[in-house]
């Protein structure tokens, strides 16, 4: 086996580890170089997501090696747990940035096969969110079937006019709730969690946790075709962050506003003063019920 090749591989391992450490703190990554009995060089390791896997493979695309990389978020979990209502889910044990919160009645989350870091455990929630929670707050339990329906791209879920009205009423109950990035409770909620809550609590539909994933669902709708419960996606004109709201009764928009620091209902003109509209998606259909 060429020592030059081994040196190239080791250098690339060091480079990608540095990149991942700066981008995904802490290091959700492990990799080493091994030779098989036949002399073939293999790269063994773990990454968290498919996106990270694609990045790893790009580093070694032109080298005569075989990558054997495990994607932790895709691996079937054999351990499950729950935690108290509102338990913070962080993007890193070190940063303390809130990405979501545990809703204990939502059912158990999966414990991913990655060693605890600084007393925090890596988990995958029911809606697919990946994050870290305090290991001391986890109570192990058996998994159970999901109570909610998961929607995929280009899927419209039929609902009755009564369900539509109940969903609108559910949304009204969130008006005035403080804005909190990563929040999911009446103590504070962000824009995508509000959309998720309306569909989950009234229609038993579990949408993805984040707006970038919610935008992949349902079908595209033109502005002149909008109806209540359509998802409207925007980008802050001032700060550039992504945003999502719900088309509401009276052709208004219900959303958790970072600018106004609470859940509000406002008109299209007011909404467009702050956000560039990127698209509108429909995930439920009550006209054909």
């Amino acid at each position: 086996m060429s020592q030059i090749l081994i040196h190239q591989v080791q250098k690339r391992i060091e480079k990608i580890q540095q990149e991942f450490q700066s981008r995904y703190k802490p290091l959700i990554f492990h990799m080493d170089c091994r030779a098989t009995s036949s002399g073939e060089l293999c790269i063994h390791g773990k990454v968290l997501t498919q996106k990270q896997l694609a990045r790893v493979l790009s580093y070694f695309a032109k080298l005569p090696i075989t990558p054997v990389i495990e994607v932790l978020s895709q691996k079937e979990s054999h351990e499950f747990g729950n935690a108290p209502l509102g338990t913070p889910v962080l993007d890193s044990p070190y940063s303390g940035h809130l990405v979501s919160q545990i809703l204990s009645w939502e059912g158990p989350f999966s414990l991913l096969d990655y060693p605890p870091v600084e007393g925090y455990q890596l988990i995958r929630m029911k809606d697919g969110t990946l994050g870290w929670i305090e290991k001391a707050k986890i109570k192990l339990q058996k998994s159970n079937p999901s109570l909610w329906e998961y929607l995929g791209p280009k899927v419209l879920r039929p609902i009755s006019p009564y369900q539509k009205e109940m969903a609108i009423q559910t949304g009204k109950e969130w008006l005035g709730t403080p804005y909190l990035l990563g929040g999911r409770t009446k103590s504070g909620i962000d824009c995508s969690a509000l959309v998720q809550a309306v569909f989950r609590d009234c229609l038993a539909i579990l949408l993805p946790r984040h707006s970038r994933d919610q935008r992949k669902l349902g079908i595209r709708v033109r502005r002149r075709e909008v109806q209540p419960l359509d998802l409207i996606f925007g980008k802050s004109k001032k700060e550039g962050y992504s945003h999502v709201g719900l088309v509401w009764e009276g052709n208004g928009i219900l959303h958790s506003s970072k600018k106004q620091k609470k859940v509000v209902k406002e008109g299209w003109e007011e909404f467009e003063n702050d956000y560039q509209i990127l698209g509108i998606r429909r995930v439920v259909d009550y006209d054909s019920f």
Side-chain angles (χ1 to χ4, degrees):
M1 185 183 301
S2 169
Q3 291 300 315
I4 295 177
L5 175 59
I6 294 176
H7 180 72
Q8 284 181 318
V9 170
Q10 290 173 338
K11 283 293 184 183
R12 294 192 187 195
I13 288 176
E14 291 175 7
K15 186 175 180 180
I16 196 169
Q17 284 179 328
Q18 290 172 359
E19 176 188 327
F20 274 45
Q21 190 164 20
S22 63
R23 182 180 295 184
Y24 302 112
K25 296 176 182 177
L27 189 62
I28 314 298
F29 182 76
H30 167 74
M31 188 166 63
D32 58 35
C33 181
R34 307 176 195 173
T36 65
S37 57
S38 61
E40 182 183 17
L41 196 61
C42 293
I43 300 296
H44 288 256
K46 295 180 180 181
V47 294
L48 183 58
T49 65
Q50 288 287 349
K51 183 178 179 180
Q52 290 181 2
L53 174 62
R55 185 63 178 148
V56 171
L57 296 180
S58 70
Y59 267 79
F60 302 103
K62 297 182 179 180
L63 294 180
I65 60 174
T66 302
V68 184
I69 308 295
E70 182 180 32
V71 182
L72 294 178
S73 62
Q74 303 296 318
K75 185 179 179 183
E76 188 66 29
S77 177
H78 299 290
E79 282 194 297
F80 303 88
N82 215 327
L85 177 67
T87 297
V89 181
L90 309 179
D91 65 347
S92 158
Y94 304 112
S95 71
H97 294 153
L98 189 69
V99 294
S100 194
Q101 291 175 301
I102 297 298
L103 303 180
S104 48
W105 43 263
E106 202 170 53
F109 45 76
S110 302
L111 278 61
L112 297 189
D113 183 22
Y114 194 84
V117 176
E118 299 291 326
Y120 282 78
Q121 174 68 48
L122 181 62
I123 68 166
R124 179 177 62 237
M125 299 171 65
K126 285 280 190 182
D127 59 15
T129 300
L130 301 171
W132 299 81
I133 72 170
E134 289 185 60
K135 187 173 177 62
K137 293 187 176 181
I138 298 175
K139 182 178 180 181
L140 295 179
Q141 64 179 73
K142 295 181 179 179
S143 179
N144 63 337
S146 176
L147 302 175
W148 295 277
E149 176 183 354
Y150 296 81
L151 296 184
K154 299 182 180 179
V155 173
L156 284 182
R157 157 79 180 277
I159 64 172
S160 69
Y162 173 76
Q163 287 176 304
K164 167 198 164 186
E165 295 305 320
M166 289 299 295
I168 289 175
Q169 185 59 42
T170 298
K172 289 179 179 178
E173 295 171 1
W174 287 93
L175 284 169
T177 300
Y179 173 86
L180 175 64
L181 182 61
R184 300 180 74 201
T185 72
K186 289 293 178 69
S187 297
I189 194 167
D190 64 23
C191 62
S192 55
L194 174 65
V195 171
Q196 189 186 52
V198 170
F199 282 85
R200 179 195 63 227
D201 296 347
C202 187
L203 303 175
I205 297 172
L206 189 59
L207 300 183
R209 174 65 180 85
H210 301 290
S211 60
R212 64 178 178 272
D213 298 314
Q214 293 174 355
R215 195 177 172 190
K216 300 173 184 176
L217 302 180
I219 61 172
R220 184 173 65 88
V221 175
R222 295 184 179 89
R223 169 77 173 266
R224 64 177 181 270
E225 301 170 333
V226 298
Q227 61 187 28
L229 300 184
D230 286 344
L231 280 59
I232 179 168
F233 297 91
K235 179 180 180 181
S236 169
K237 292 180 178 179
K238 185 176 181 180
E239 299 182 51
Y241 58 82
S242 298
H243 191 62
V244 63
L246 285 168
V247 177
W248 219 238
E249 57 184 356
N251 209 24
I253 296 173
L254 182 82
H255 65 119
S256 185
S257 170
K258 180 180 178 181
K259 177 182 177 181
Q260 300 184 56
K261 301 180 181 179
K262 62 182 179 180
V263 176
V264 297
K265 177 193 171 186
E266 57 186 6
W268 281 77
E269 184 175 346
E270 296 171 284
F271 188 85
E272 289 186 280
N273 283 338
D274 296 322
Y275 304 99
Q276 173 192 353
I277 295 179
L278 301 178
I280 304 168
R281 308 291 294 186
R282 179 168 299 158
V283 297
V284 294
D285 178 20
Y286 43 81
D287 285 339
S288 61
F289 190 85

